[in-house]
Amino acid sequence: MHFETLAVHAGGEPDAATGAIAPPIHMATTFRHGPAGERVAGFEYVREGNPTQERLEIALAALEQGAAALAFGSGMAAIAALLESLPAGATLLIPSDCYTGLRVLATEFLPRCSILVQRVDTTDLEAVEAAFAAGAAAIWLETPSNPLLQVTDIAAVVDSARRHDARVFCDNTFATPVLQQPLALGADVVMHSTTKYFGGHSDVMGGALVFARRDAGFEQVAHRRHVTGGVLAPFNAWLTLRGLRSLPARMHWHCANARSIAEFLERHPRIASVNYPGLVSHAGHAVAQRQMRDFGAMLSFRVAGGRAAALAVAGRLKLIHNATSLGGCETLIEHRASVEGPNPVSPQDLLRLSVGLEHRDDLIADISQALDG
Ligand code: PLP
């Protein structure tokens, strides 16, 4: 079955009781059971699972070619549940460029669980191999990365990890399974902030983990979610399910828009550099071409003239909003260094763009007037 068809139908069986084509939203927190706790229809209490969330998990597992999925209340809840399940004393490798939330979790919170964290340039395969040889138990990949759009060769990292009995986790938020399927390349677990492209409309928060195997690692994280309660609310599961039906169609338009904008920016004299894996000039272009079906709709660029010039450009935009997050219909721009908390790591002249679904000519006209000042 083609991916587009799967996205429309996965987890979408018509309701058995009514024949409704759109799935019902089950808001129940508890489900009837027998006198000795015997389950009647598979469910017990909402913190463990519910029918609407189960539909979403079936769909997510199908789209990522995984064996099982777990939905969470946010992307960060998903990341925390997975990483805090690592055994005490384990070393986790995280990318030198990654989402701020992961960086903060890894530096402030994981050490409290006696999980050691080491940063590594995941695009440098020799550095990755050396870190595995030194005993790292797992690696976190984010490709393309946030906000520098670095591309890591997933299959090559998996190859190295296998030789050292290490696990590979991959944040696939920027690419989505429409463009890239890390489990098919050998990764063990895929993570999504479904707040972004899956939801697709900037109106629902969620996160997910998709596991290559329904093994002890899966059971451990499912148990952790059940006990610590980072589960997704039924209404949010329903909205996310609704969003993912149109994910492939949206991604094709998103990507075409982003490519046009990246090419426009690369030619503009006030732009110092553009980070977009679809550009031939991008360091990870060849790897991206191999492991992605298209290059995504996230890009970042450095403005000639430093921080003040970058902020001035962001401030002159009229159609494009200054706002955090990504993956919605509307194009958003953000000066990452300003929102990264007390120790920003992004370059001060860097702006990140989440390219939306408007017409590309309108977007380019807005960026053009903002750059020309
Ligand atoms: N991963 C990436 C790449 C992100 O950009 C984000 C949020 O921006 C997250 C994870 C965290 O997801 P959430 O905001 O849903 O907790």
Side-chain angles (χ1 to χ4, degrees):
M1 189 185 284
H2 290 280
F3 189 89
E4 288 78 359
T5 311
L6 199 56
V8 170
H9 290 281
E13 290 299 311
D15 178 41
T18 63
I21 297 300
I25 310 172
H26 287 280
M27 296 299 283
T29 55
T30 189
F31 299 82
R32 187 170 61 86
H33 62 55
E38 305 92 339
R39 294 184 183 209
V40 175
F43 299 98
E44 185 182 78
Y45 183 56
V46 67
R47 178 154 34 74
E48 187 194 39
N50 78 83
T52 315
Q53 177 193 308
E54 186 181 62
R55 280 180 180 268
L56 174 63
E57 292 174 342
I58 289 168
L60 290 169
L63 296 187
E64 281 290 7
Q65 295 187 36
L70 292 169
F72 290 82
S74 71
M76 284 310 301
I79 297 175
L82 178 65
L83 296 183
E84 288 173 6
S85 298
L86 287 170
T91 295
L92 168 73
L93 306 176
I94 66 163
S96 37
D97 183 52
C98 64
Y99 173 57
T100 321
L102 171 70
R103 181 168 55 88
V104 175
L105 178 82
T107 50
E108 279 184 33
F109 293 91
L110 294 184
R112 294 185 204 170
C113 308
S114 302
I115 295 160
L116 312 170
V117 178
Q118 191 185 322
R119 294 188 85 167
V120 64
D121 176 358
T122 57
T123 68
D124 178 349
L125 295 172
E126 282 178 20
V128 170
E129 174 71 20
F132 283 140
I139 189 166
W140 187 269
L141 301 181
E142 195 180 290
T143 180
S145 66
N146 185 0
L148 298 182
L149 282 299
Q150 290 177 350
V151 173
T152 295
D153 187 332
I154 301 171
V157 169
V158 165
D159 189 46
S160 180
R162 289 288 167 268
R163 272 182 273 117
H164 298 280
D165 210 18
R167 296 169 77 201
V168 178
F169 308 141
C170 188
D171 184 334
N172 205 26
T173 299
F174 273 25
T176 82
V178 180
L179 309 182
Q180 173 176 283
Q181 289 170 309
L183 299 185
L185 297 171
D188 297 285
V189 183
V190 160
M191 176 265 155
H192 282 283
S193 166
T194 58
T195 316
K196 317 302 184 192
Y197 290 104
F198 276 95
H201 297 76
S202 307
D203 57 7
V204 57
M205 171 159 266
L209 299 173
V210 187
F211 293 75
R213 294 164 297 280
R214 202 182 181 100
D215 56 8
F218 165 82
E219 296 300 342
Q220 205 181 0
V221 181
H223 178 58
R224 176 173 286 270
R225 186 188 64 172
H226 183 191
V227 173
T228 59
V231 72
L232 188 66
F235 184 54
N236 286 9
W238 186 86
L239 278 174
T240 307
L241 199 54
R242 186 182 202 257
L244 70 75
R245 300 297 178 217
S246 60
L247 181 66
R250 284 186 282 111
M251 287 312 291
H252 294 313
W253 188 255
H254 274 301
C255 290
N257 274 357
R259 192 174 314 114
S260 300
I261 292 173
E263 286 165 2
F264 165 79
L265 288 170
E266 197 175 40
R267 287 192 304 268
H268 200 285
R270 293 208 56 203
I271 298 299
S273 62
V274 183
N275 303 315
Y276 181 65
L279 293 174
V280 179
S281 58
H282 188 279
H285 179 67
V287 176
Q289 213 163 18
R290 208 164 55 234
Q291 72 185 13
M292 299 177 76
R293 289 184 200 96
D294 204 335
F295 302 101
M298 293 301 297
L299 58 91
S300 59
F301 55 97
R302 299 180 73 159
V303 181
R307 175 187 165 89
L311 292 180
V313 169
R316 280 194 292 265
L317 289 165
K318 295 185 175 121
L319 178 66
I320 298 173
H321 299 299
N322 279 259
T324 199
S325 202
L326 58 114
C329 299
E330 55 293 306
T331 299
L332 302 177
I333 198 154
E334 189 169 51
H335 182 248
R336 287 298 296 166
S338 293
V339 298
E340 283 176 343
N343 302 305
V345 293
S346 291
Q348 291 290 340
D349 57 359
L350 184 97
L351 295 173
R352 188 192 73 181
L353 204 59
S354 167
V355 180
L357 298 178
E358 302 92 337
H359 195 285
R360 64 207 65 148
D361 292 350
D362 294 329
L363 295 171
I364 289 173
D366 194 28
I367 297 169
S368 178
Q369 66 78 25
L371 284 170
D372 295 343

